Amino acid sequence: MRADRLVAALLLMQARGRVTAAELAERLEVSVATARRDLEALSAAGIPVYPQPGRGGGWSLLGGARTDLTGLTAHEAQALFLLAGPSAPDAPELRSALRKLLRALPQTFRDEAEAAAGAVVVDPARWGEPDKERPELVRVLQRATVRRRRVRLVYEGRRDRERTERLVDPWGLVDKDDIWYLLAGTERGQRTFRVDRIAAAEVTEEEFERPAGFELSRAWAGVVEEMERRRSTVSATVLIPARLLPILRDHFGRHCESLGEAADGRVRARVAAPMALTIAEQLAGWGARVEVEEPDEVRAELARIGAELVERYGK
């Protein structure tokens, strides 16, 4: 059962006093059966939600019971506003939600929470680039993820550019280094799709349920681990001056490991990439400042690149 749906049902009853399963279903865009199960789940959880049968009946909170947000600690409130605040200027719904949350906080928390909301500005555009906006396709997929609706994708392959149609369950979206990814369930299990390769997306009325125990952060960590493993299938041992080690780490990221100091004072390091050619291309610009001890295929690629440069520019 979706926690956000249950909270929405509870807040709707607070606002209206009484609500029918059909009204709740229409408001939350779910089936009447799903809305009824949500209401029964609230009652089973100990919240004083009771049905009143007959004409003019429905579900209501006994005695006008209400929920509030005073369970938040000062640090939790600050953390929430620090995280949400930078996105608020571009999201009217988020600005509205933060204003409501601010009013619901105890007075002693409000000043610091309000200060936290304006303490950070995130500017994702690089110098000289125009302002970046979230792609509309991301918004479409976000809505489908929240509403639990299956999506029919037209997806373009990375190598052959061939387009295929897929019916997927959108489980979550991830923004990594300004590239959006969709984690989704398919008939073959969990798959990851780059949003910029989705040529079209049609949200259907078919509902789906996330797998029990699914956590987007944990699932994405698994994707990252697998991708990084593929990105480091070939490794090379190199010798460089110690002062250049930070630059080498900047080039290779997590795929650069220091192995300690060599006898001549240089630093021995291990770097990795998907192919020997990739390593050689990264190291070629270092000239004689880097020495590749092994493997032979990386040394051969460097020799080939050097020969090409001599042939082109050595005359």
Side-chain angles (χ1 to χ4, degrees):
M1 209 59 78
R2 288 294 322 285
D4 56 350
R5 225 167 47 217
L6 297 180
V7 172
L10 183 58
L11 294 176
L12 187 61
M13 278 187 286
Q14 283 186 181
R16 294 188 177 182
R18 184 178 300 168
V19 65
T20 67
E23 290 171 340
L24 183 63
E26 182 180 1
R27 186 65 177 268
L28 301 183
E29 299 181 314
V30 297
S31 67
V32 174
T34 297
R36 189 173 291 112
R37 285 196 299 269
D38 287 354
L39 292 165
E40 291 170 350
L42 287 171
S43 180
I47 297 172
V49 176
Y50 292 95
Q52 294 179 337
R55 186 178 179 85
W59 292 73
S60 58
L61 286 167
L62 185 65
R66 299 184 65 82
T67 183
D68 59 47
L69 294 170
T70 55
L72 284 174
T73 67
H75 290 305
E76 289 169 342
Q78 290 173 29
L80 181 59
F81 276 80
L82 276 170
L83 289 171
S87 302
D90 300 320
E93 298 90 348
L94 182 55
R95 287 201 305 271
S96 176
L98 288 178
R99 285 197 299 268
K100 293 175 183 177
L101 175 57
L102 192 64
R103 289 196 297 268
L105 290 173
Q107 183 63 47
T108 53
F109 293 178
R110 290 183 189 176
D111 290 343
E112 291 185 358
E114 197 166 15
V120 177
V121 171
V122 176
D123 183 357
R126 296 180 180 179
W127 292 109
E129 287 185 339
D131 292 340
K132 292 186 177 180
E133 294 185 3
R134 184 168 297 182
E136 179 58 29
L137 184 54
V138 170
R139 301 181 192 276
V140 171
L141 294 172
Q142 282 179 325
R143 289 193 291 268
T145 301
V146 172
R147 294 176 58 204
R148 299 294 193 264
R149 295 294 193 272
R150 288 197 169 99
V151 179
R152 185 168 284 105
L153 303 179
V154 177
Y155 194 67
E156 192 174 80
R158 180 167 63 92
R159 293 187 177 87
D160 54 16
R161 295 303 201 191
E162 181 182 356
R163 292 186 174 186
T164 57
E165 189 173 290
R166 324 272 185 97
L167 184 63
V168 305
D169 299 347
W171 291 347
L173 287 149
V174 176
D175 178 5
K176 183 174 179 63
D177 196 22
D178 206 30
I179 298 175
W180 284 90
Y181 297 87
L182 171 68
L183 268 67
T186 72
E187 59 183 6
R188 297 183 179 180
Q190 178 181 311
R191 291 292 185 272
T192 304
F193 301 93
R194 275 186 59 147
V195 173
D196 58 3
R197 292 189 192 137
I198 297 176
E202 176 192 355
V203 181
T204 73
E205 290 304 314
E206 296 182 51
E207 294 186 26
F208 71 90
E209 290 291 337
R210 269 184 174 183
F214 175 85
E215 289 184 11
L216 181 59
S217 58
R218 187 167 57 190
W220 179 248
V223 172
V224 171
E225 183 178 356
E226 173 61 20
M227 288 300 297
E228 294 294 357
R229 185 190 64 78
R230 294 181 185 179
R231 286 163 52 90
S232 60
T233 52
V234 177
S235 62
T237 304
V238 301
L239 290 169
I240 59 167
R243 61 184 175 82
L244 297 180
L245 181 59
I247 304 175
L248 189 70
R249 282 180 173 151
D250 186 60
H251 276 246
F252 286 90
R254 69 171 67 186
H255 302 303
C256 175
E257 175 189 4
S258 175
L259 301 179
E261 188 175 331
D264 60 3
R266 290 183 294 176
V267 172
R268 180 174 283 108
R270 180 180 292 115
V271 296
M275 300 181 297
L277 174 60
T278 308
I279 297 176
E281 288 174 339
Q282 289 283 342
L283 297 178
W286 294 62
R289 290 175 295 179
V290 62
E291 177 185 348
V292 176
E293 291 187 312
E294 55 86 25
D296 289 340
E297 53 262 43
V298 173
R299 294 166 62 92
E301 290 289 356
L302 279 169
R304 181 187 59 78
I305 292 172
E308 288 180 352
L309 292 174
V310 169
E311 183 178 355
R312 174 64 61 90
Y313 301 108
K315 298 177 181 179

